[in-house]
Amino acid sequence: QTFTFDNLNGEVIPSILRGFSAPVKLVNSSDDDNEEATAFLAARDTDGFNKWEAGQKLYTSAIFQAMKDTNEVEATPSKTMNLVLEAFGRTLEDSKETSDYSISAYALTLPNEATLAELMAETGPIQPASIRKARSTIKKQIAQKFKSELLQVYKQLTDSMEGSSFTVDAASVGRRRLRNVCLDYLCSVNNTDEEKL
């Protein structure tokens, strides 16, 4: 089945299956994912799931690239890594004014080692040590780039929770989740006692 959209001006980046509740896995027919389009969705999509999914694809690509040559990635950020930093920065900035803290927290979180291992198993043997090292490399690069911004969001959320009782409503859970994500990144680059929170 083919859908044709007429009278579209300029380049169009589709955000497919917005608001869709069933688990669906889309496969690109060309087998060639456009990282710029993925980064655009990861940074700007207003559909929470699509934003998260685009971010996961982008983070995964950067991590697998880091596995091939960690030293090179650390010295000279790849094009993919620059897209990751751009998308992460935009999402982190938006988190300061969001009403859905959980979506921001998930969108800022790297895929875990188990997920990366499953993806690696599709093309070859799993390399747990390499996955951990590469994921840590990407995480530290992000944390170093946005250390002051992460600390600002962390303190903002901490101050907003000051003096309030523990509750399990969606907003409170989301604030704690986002605060913990920021703290996790900050802890990855805390090298001295003065830097520790």
Side-chain angles (χ1 to χ4, degrees):
Q1 188 173 8
T2 302
F3 298 92
T4 303
F5 299 90
D6 299 319
N7 302 318
L8 297 177
N9 298 320
E11 185 178 355
V12 176
I13 299 175
S15 174
I16 303 172
L17 300 180
R18 297 173 62 82
F20 208 73
S21 59
V24 174
K25 184 174 182 179
L26 288 175
V27 178
N28 192 331
S29 61
S30 67
D31 235 8
D32 180 27
D33 286 330
N34 185 332
E35 287 193 339
E36 286 84 0
T38 301
F40 181 89
L41 295 175
R44 296 174 176 82
D45 204 323
T46 56
D47 181 272
F49 179 81
N50 284 2
K51 180 181 181 70
W52 169 81
E53 186 174 46
Q56 294 297 291
K57 288 180 180 178
L58 200 60
Y59 296 147
T60 298
S61 179
I63 291 169
F64 283 164
Q65 285 182 30
M67 288 180 63
K68 295 177 182 177
D69 193 337
T70 304
N71 292 328
E72 181 180 332
V73 171
E74 288 179 340
T76 307
S78 65
K79 178 183 177 181
T80 300
M81 190 61 206
N82 286 327
L83 291 173
V84 165
L85 294 174
E86 180 184 350
F88 187 95
R90 177 70 177 253
T91 301
L92 184 61
E93 182 64 28
D94 290 346
S95 74
K96 298 176 183 178
E97 300 178 4
T98 186
S99 59
D100 194 334
Y101 299 101
S102 285
I103 289 296
S104 294
Y106 286 126
L108 293 169
T109 302
L110 298 179
N112 60 39
E113 293 179 25
T115 298
L116 294 167
E118 287 181 14
L119 292 171
M120 180 175 280
E122 294 176 2
T123 58
I126 299 173
Q127 304 172 39
S130 296
I131 289 175
R132 174 163 293 187
K133 183 177 180 181
R135 186 179 185 277
S136 177
T137 295
I138 299 303
K139 185 177 180 180
K140 286 179 180 178
Q141 280 191 274
I142 292 172
Q144 288 167 349
K145 173 73 174 178
F146 297 105
K147 185 174 181 180
S148 60
E149 292 89 343
L150 286 162
L151 185 58
Q152 180 185 358
V153 173
Y154 174 83
K155 288 182 175 178
Q156 177 182 317
L157 292 167
T158 299
D159 291 343
S160 71
M161 294 186 286
E162 191 72 29
S164 61
S165 58
F166 181 86
T167 57
V168 292
D169 60 279
S172 297
V173 171
R175 285 192 191 93
R176 291 192 293 271
R177 180 173 287 126
L178 180 56
R179 179 175 176 267
N180 288 340
V181 168
C182 292
L183 180 60
D184 186 44
Y185 277 105
L186 290 167
C187 287
S188 72
V189 292
N190 285 343
N191 300 316
T192 67
D193 291 338
E194 290 75 16
E195 291 176 314
K196 294 178 181 177
L197 295 172

